[in-house]
Amino acid sequence: MIVLPVTLAAAAAAAVLNLWLSIRIGAVRRALSINVGDGGSESLQRRMRAQANFVENTPFVLALIAGIELAGRGSWWLSLVAAAYMIGRVLHGFGMDGGNWGWGRMVGTLVTMLVLLGLAVVAALVAMGVM
């Protein structure tokens, strides 16, 4: 039986993070009585985009983590990368609200890009037999 502890932990964290992002959207929907769409609300649009951006990037991160782990090339550093990604996504979620947390959007975006690029490079090196 193959067990992928980093992948499983990262997928669990991603599921919880996605739920949190959904709850934040629901809070704005309730407050503004918007059932469908965004009703032209910028705050709802921002939260919807935060979740959509998470959903756009997270499958690639999880697939790369799983591939690296399956290849036997993941070690302690892979857990740190997964954790950094999740923290970056939390910062991005808060940052999309703007205000005092506006810097979180930039930091979260940068962390996401660096994690994706780094994991892609490692995966390519593993695939070429360099790592």
Side-chain angles (χ1 to χ4, degrees):
M1 181 168 119
I2 298 173
V3 177
L4 304 174
V6 177
T7 303
L8 288 171
V16 171
L17 205 67
N18 191 55
L19 181 60
W20 171 71
L21 290 166
S22 295
I23 290 169
R24 288 171 43 84
I25 291 168
V28 173
R29 284 189 181 285
R30 275 189 310 280
L32 300 177
S33 298
I34 300 171
N35 291 323
V36 178
D38 61 31
S41 165
E42 183 179 339
S43 62
L44 183 53
Q45 290 169 7
R46 287 173 172 271
R47 289 196 176 179
M48 290 171 71
R49 275 307 308 151
Q51 185 188 34
N53 188 268
F54 178 77
V55 171
E56 292 162 4
N57 288 289
T58 302
F60 292 104
V61 171
L62 293 175
L64 288 165
I65 289 171
I68 292 166
E69 198 170 20
L70 275 170
R73 298 303 190 265
S75 63
W76 61 270
W77 64 268
L78 196 55
S79 295
L80 295 179
V81 170
Y85 176 76
M86 298 304 165
I87 292 167
R89 298 319 301 174
V90 169
L91 290 173
H92 182 268
F94 282 130
M96 283 296 289
D97 285 346
N100 292 336
W101 279 94
W103 59 270
R105 180 180 183 189
M106 180 181 60
V107 172
T109 299
L110 181 60
V111 168
T112 297
M113 289 180 176
L114 291 174
V115 165
L116 277 170
L117 179 60
L119 289 172
V121 167
V122 169
L125 292 173
V126 168
M128 292 187 302
V130 175
M131 277 186 76

